[in-house]
């Protein structure tokens, strides 16, 4: 796929937008792919969303999110993840982003990581039958308590190597700090199911989750990171995913335009 056609707008970047507004915005700006989230898709209707995307000539780069598998009794979560897999298949995407969950109430981090491993082993069979890859997203250690007990790309690859229908997400915000990142990107290789970009802003806001900025506005060497990902042979979509209160409050069309400009000037040359 040509680098110019690989830009995907992750819907979280324009969080207040409806599915219709997000899809129409992408089409208006010539963005050929969109990363969708389950909640707004449910609001619009799964079948209606699939038709909307297809009629606009777009593809769905990923569906977010599955996961949250760390509870001691995670039967409800397993059922919800099976539904998420079915939703991804209905949207014609082969990538379900998995935010695996934080430490459970028992504070047993080792146990939480084992429960994730067990659940992924179980769900991978169902995902494989549906033609969907469970894309494990390692998260910056600051999110270990509440969102992601997989804190490094190495931990995610350890699981992905065991199952054909399991891959990894390389999200710049979550992995850029890792001193072993170069080697782990090489190791991830064919297991990379999604590449997401934004930037790490300082000073870090009170809600760390909202500390993402447009590519080029922060501390991440996105040129170097993108070249390393590209060197593995990854040729899929590149999602721009930004959590930022000011960006969420801005005009959707202006945000999408800025996303496109930043991608073409900062990310695309490294692909």
């Amino acid at each position: 796929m040509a680098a110019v056609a690989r830009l995907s707008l992750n819907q979280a970047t324009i969080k207040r937008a409806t599915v219709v507004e997000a899809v129409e915005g992408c089409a208006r700006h010539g963005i050929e792919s969109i990363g969708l989230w389950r909640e707004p898709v449910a609001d619009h209707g799964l079948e209606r969303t699939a038709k909307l995307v297809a009629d606009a000539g777009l593809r769905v780069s990923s569906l977010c999110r599955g996961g949250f598998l760390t509870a001691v009794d995670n039967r409800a979560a397993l059922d919800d993840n099976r539904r998420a897999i079915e939703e991804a298949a209905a949207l014609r995407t082969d990538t379900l982003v998995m935010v695996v969950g934080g430490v459970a109430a028992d504070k047993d981090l080792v146990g939480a990581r084992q429960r994730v491993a067990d659940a992924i082993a179980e769900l991978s069979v169902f995902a494989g039958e549906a033609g969907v890859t469970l894309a494990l997203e390692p998260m910056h250690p600051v999110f270990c308590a509440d969102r992601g007990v997989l804190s490094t790309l190495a931990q995610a690859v350890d699981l992905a190597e065991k199952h054909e229908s399991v891959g990894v997400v390389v999200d710049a915000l979550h992995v850029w700090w890792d001193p072993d990142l170069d080697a782990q990107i090489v190791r991830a290789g064919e297991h990379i199911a999604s590449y997401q970009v934004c930037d790490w802003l300082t000073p870090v806001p009170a809600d760390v989750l909202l500390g993402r900025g447009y590519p080029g506005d922060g501390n991440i060497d996105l040129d170097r990171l993108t070249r390393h990902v590209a060197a593995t042979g990854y040729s899929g979509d590149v999602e721009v995913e930004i959590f930022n209160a000011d960006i969420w409050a801005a005009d959707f069309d202006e945000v999408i335009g800025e996303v496109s400009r930043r991608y073409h000037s900062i990310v695309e040359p490294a692909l």
Side-chain angles (χ1 to χ4, degrees), residues 239-267:
E239 291 187 7
V240 177
E241 182 188 56
I242 303 172
F243 292 70
N244 182 296
D246 291 336
I247 291 173
W248 286 346
D251 179 83
F252 303 149
D253 206 60
E254 292 179 3
V255 171
I256 297 171
E258 188 62 25
V259 163
S260 181
R261 286 189 287 273
R262 296 300 184 97
Y263 170 81
H264 291 307
S265 64
I266 294 172
V267 181

Side-chain angles (χ1 to χ4, degrees), residues 1-9 26-27 29-34 59 226 234-240 256 259-271:
M1 192 188 309
V4 69
R6 294 170 62 183
L7 169 60
S8 175
L9 175 72
C26 285
H29 285 270
I31 297 174
E32 300 179 14
S33 185
I34 186 168
R59 61 184 178 275
T226 301
Y234 177 75
S235 59
D237 291 308
V238 179
E239 291 187 7
V240 177
I256 297 171
V259 163
S260 181
R261 286 189 287 273
R262 296 300 184 97
Y263 170 81
H264 291 307
S265 64
I266 294 172
V267 181
E268 183 185 322
L271 290 172

Side-chain angles (χ1 to χ4, degrees), residues 37-39 63-88 95-103 112 115-121 123-124 127 132-139 146-150 159 166 169:
W37 282 65
R38 294 179 67 197
E39 294 82 1
L63 179 64
C64 195
R65 56 192 177 187
F68 293 94
L69 298 164
T70 54
V72 175
D73 182 353
N74 63 9
R75 286 174 293 182
L78 288 168
D79 287 342
D80 183 63
N81 276 272
R82 293 186 187 96
R83 289 191 293 272
I85 291 166
E86 292 172 340
E87 292 163 16
T95 304
L96 176 64
V97 175
M98 302 291 287
V99 177
V100 299
V103 179
R115 288 190 287 274
V116 168
D118 294 342
I120 292 300
L123 290 169
S124 66
V132 172
T133 295
L134 304 178
L136 303 176
E137 182 167 16
M139 306 194 81
D146 62 344
R147 284 183 174 82
V149 296
L150 297 182
L159 293 180
V166 178
V169 179

Side-chain angles (χ1 to χ4, degrees), residues 138 151-158 168-170 175 178 181 184-185 188:
S151 300
T152 65
L153 185 56
Q155 289 173 313
V157 175
D158 285 346
V168 300
V169 179
V170 176
V175 303
D178 188 346
L181 182 59
Q184 293 305 321
I185 287 176

